[in-house]
């Protein structure tokens, strides 16, 4: 791994951990802030919406700033956000601090992916994307279980203090390893060009696939801790190990997804979406049984991130001539799905459906995503379209 990619990976790990660790400490946060667990789930929705809306706006507002400078500024914002969350006195202030951090998160991933693919030959773009995604998956292996364990031992506020320390390490890595870069306006051209590339069917259908994937993943994952406690019957101290298992699967999946993206992108994506719909049904069926549930969560985590890699690689491939806005919409697409998932999950739970019902909705959404992917691939094949040449970075 080139050292600049390692720096991007480490910051992605930090942002990924702070986004997903809330699922591991959600009951503790709810008690600490005096709200119900479903209501605390809106911390997930708020973070996701901050990424989805604020990320692209911040990315486009900083187009005249060099990518290295903005990556450094975003990582500093991350560190300050973790300190603020650790000190938050109420649910409202906690939500505000999470949303502010999320804006930096959304801008970071859009910029980091463009920088990552600029550091490797064209044939390895899928694997470069997988390195950034690996930061998210390793956050599920190490960051989320460790954060949940820290929260269980010393309280949920300690989790955010630990995350601030990780952010400082990421800041040092970016400052040291990322080379000087150009601003977006030096190579991307007029904003209208950025907007026009979004009209390519490969781009907007991929954004829809992001929504399907994240609803299928995050409806159950947002409430994974109470699901494992109340339905599977696991002890609270066992749950970090299940989250670790999910993260191990996710890390394997992201690298498999990177390889498949560079080999047969659309056929691989279609097959994985179909398999994941079946795995979501399996998650519903085995949820009362600890050992089958653990095994299914491993496979489920692997497929979630294996699917994400080709979706992102496809967007970067078909917007290579104008990557700024499109790359910032990658985290937006994912996190709009996350926000929808958290809200829908809360509505289902408050409607009395129970935690076990959550994977069923995910299965339906993934099946629809598979159908959309098939139709998109068929249209692309009929048109004989080819991806554009990449812009100079």
């Amino acid at each position: 791994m080139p050292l600049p990619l390692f720096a991007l990976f480490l910051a992605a790990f930090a942002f990924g951990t702070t986004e997903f660790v809330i699922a591991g400490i959600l009951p503790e946060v709810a008690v600490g802030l005096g709200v119900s667990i479903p209501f605390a789930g809106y911390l997930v929705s708020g973070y996701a919406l901050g990424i989805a809306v604020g990320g692209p706006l911040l990315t486009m507002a900083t187009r005249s700033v060099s990518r290295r400078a903005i990556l450094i500024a975003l990582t500093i914002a991350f560190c300050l956000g973790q300190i603020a969350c650790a000190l938050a006195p109420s649910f409202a202030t906690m939500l505000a601090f999470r949303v502010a951090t999320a804006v930096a998160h959304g801008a970071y991933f859009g910029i980091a992916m463009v920088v990552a693919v600029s550091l490797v030959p064209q044939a390895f773009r899928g694997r470069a994307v997988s390195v950034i995604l690996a930061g998210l998956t390793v956050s599920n292996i190490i960051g989320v279980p460790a954060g949940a364990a820290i929260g269980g031992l010393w309280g949920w506020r300690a989790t955010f203090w630990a995350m601030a320390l990780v952010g400082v390490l990421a800041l040092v890595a970016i400052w040291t390893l990322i080379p000087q870069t150009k601003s977006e306006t030096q190579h991307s051209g007029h904003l209208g060009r950025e907007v026009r590339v979004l009209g390519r069917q490969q781009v907007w259908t991929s954004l829809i696939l992001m929504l399907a994937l994240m609803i299928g993943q995050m409806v159950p994952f947002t409430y994974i801790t109470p699901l494992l406690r109340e339905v599977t019957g696991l002890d609270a101290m066992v749950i970090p190990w299940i989250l670790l298992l999910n993260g191990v699967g996710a890390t394997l999946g992201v690298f498999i997804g990177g390889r498949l993206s560079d080999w047969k992108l659309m056929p691989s994506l279609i097959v994985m979406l179909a398999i994941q719909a079946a795995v979501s049904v399996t998650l519903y069926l085995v949820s009362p049984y600890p050992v089958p549930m653990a095994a299914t969560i491993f496979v489920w985590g692997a497929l979630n991130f294996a699917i994400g890699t080709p979706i992102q690689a496809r967007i970067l491939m078909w917007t290579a001539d104008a990557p700024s806005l499109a790359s910032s919409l990658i985290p937006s697409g994912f996190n709009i799905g996350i926000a929808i998932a958290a809200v829908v999950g809360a509505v289902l739970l408050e409607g009395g459906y129970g935690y076990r019902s959550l994977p069923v909705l995910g299965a339906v959404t993934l099946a629809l995503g598979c159908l959309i992917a098939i139709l998109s691939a068929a249209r692309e094949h009929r048109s004989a379209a080819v991806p554009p040449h990449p812009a100079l970075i």
Side-chain angles (χ1 to χ4, degrees):
M1 180 191 302
L3 287 178
L5 284 184
F6 171 77
L8 297 174
F9 161 86
L10 185 58
F13 167 82
F15 276 109
T17 300
T18 202
E19 178 175 14
F20 296 123
V21 76
I22 197 73
I25 57 174
L26 194 64
E28 290 78 12
V29 172
V31 171
L33 297 178
V35 298
S36 68
I37 291 177
F39 194 81
Y42 290 114
L43 290 172
V44 177
S45 301
Y47 195 96
L49 289 174
I51 294 174
V53 178
L57 293 176
L58 181 59
T59 299
M60 299 312 295
T62 56
R63 294 173 78 234
S64 62
V65 181
S66 79
R67 285 171 174 161
R68 180 179 183 272
I70 192 61
L71 288 173
I72 290 171
L74 294 172
T75 310
I76 292 173
F78 169 86
C79 297
L80 295 176
Q82 304 317 295
I83 295 171
C85 286
L87 299 173
S90 66
F91 178 85
T93 53
M94 177 71 166
L95 180 60
F97 295 144
R98 290 275 292 173
V99 170
T101 304
V103 173
H105 180 139
Y108 173 81
F109 275 89
I111 295 168
M113 285 182 187
V114 174
V115 172
V117 298
S118 76
L119 296 171
V120 299
Q122 183 173 346
F124 296 94
R125 286 183 299 184
R127 272 164 273 193
V129 172
S130 74
V131 170
I132 306 301
L133 275 183
L136 294 177
T137 59
V138 174
S139 75
N140 279 277
I141 292 178
I142 299 174
V144 172
I150 289 170
L153 291 172
W154 296 297
W156 62 269
R157 295 182 187 274
T159 299
F160 289 100
W161 285 114
M163 286 310 308
L165 178 59
V166 175
V168 170
L169 297 176
L171 176 61
V172 171
I174 289 176
W175 191 291
T176 305
L177 299 176
I178 297 296
Q180 291 294 334
T181 59
K182 297 178 181 180
S183 68
E184 302 285 349
T185 54
Q186 287 178 286
H187 55 74
S188 294
H190 192 270
L191 179 60
R193 183 183 179 188
E194 302 279 343
V195 174
R196 283 193 297 272
V197 301
L198 302 181
R200 294 169 184 161
Q201 73 90 5
Q202 294 87 353
V203 179
W204 59 261
T205 54
S206 295
L207 292 172
I208 293 173
L209 292 178
M210 284 184 178
L211 293 177
L213 174 63
M214 296 317 295
I215 292 172
Q217 175 185 355
M218 293 304 296
V219 167
F221 188 79
T222 300
Y223 303 98
I224 192 69
T225 296
L227 171 65
L228 292 171
R229 284 183 182 180
E230 297 187 17
V231 179
T232 313
L234 295 179
D235 184 83
M237 296 310 294
V238 176
I239 291 175
W241 295 101
I242 302 298
L243 297 176
L244 172 62
L245 193 62
N246 176 77
V248 171
T251 299
L252 292 175
V254 75
F255 287 110
I256 292 170
R259 295 276 179 173
L260 293 174
S261 297
D262 292 330
W263 177 56
K264 297 286 187 182
L265 193 153
M266 286 307 293
S268 301
L269 178 57
I270 291 167
V271 170
M272 287 190 293
L273 284 167
I275 294 173
Q276 187 68 324
V279 171
S280 296
V281 174
T282 304
L283 201 64
Y284 164 78
L285 295 173
V286 303
S287 56
Y289 312 106
V291 174
M293 182 64 166
T296 304
I297 284 177
F298 173 81
V299 176
W300 181 67
L303 282 167
N304 281 328
F305 281 83
I307 294 168
T309 303
I311 292 175
Q312 293 178 81
R314 191 182 192 216
I315 291 175
L316 293 172
M317 176 188 300
W318 285 95
T319 62
D321 55 335
S324 305
L325 179 59
S327 64
S328 71
L329 290 176
I330 289 176
S332 292
F334 278 118
N335 284 277
I336 289 172
I338 292 174
I340 293 171
V343 171
V344 170
V347 169
L348 287 174
L349 294 175
E350 291 172 346
Y353 284 93
Y355 295 110
R356 193 183 179 190
S357 68
L358 301 180
V360 177
L361 178 61
V364 173
T365 307
L366 288 162
L368 290 174
C370 182
L371 177 61
I372 292 169
I374 292 171
L375 295 174
S376 177
R379 181 176 175 184
E380 180 181 323
H381 179 74
R382 287 194 303 270
S383 68
V386 295
H389 294 294
L392 296 177
I393 303 299

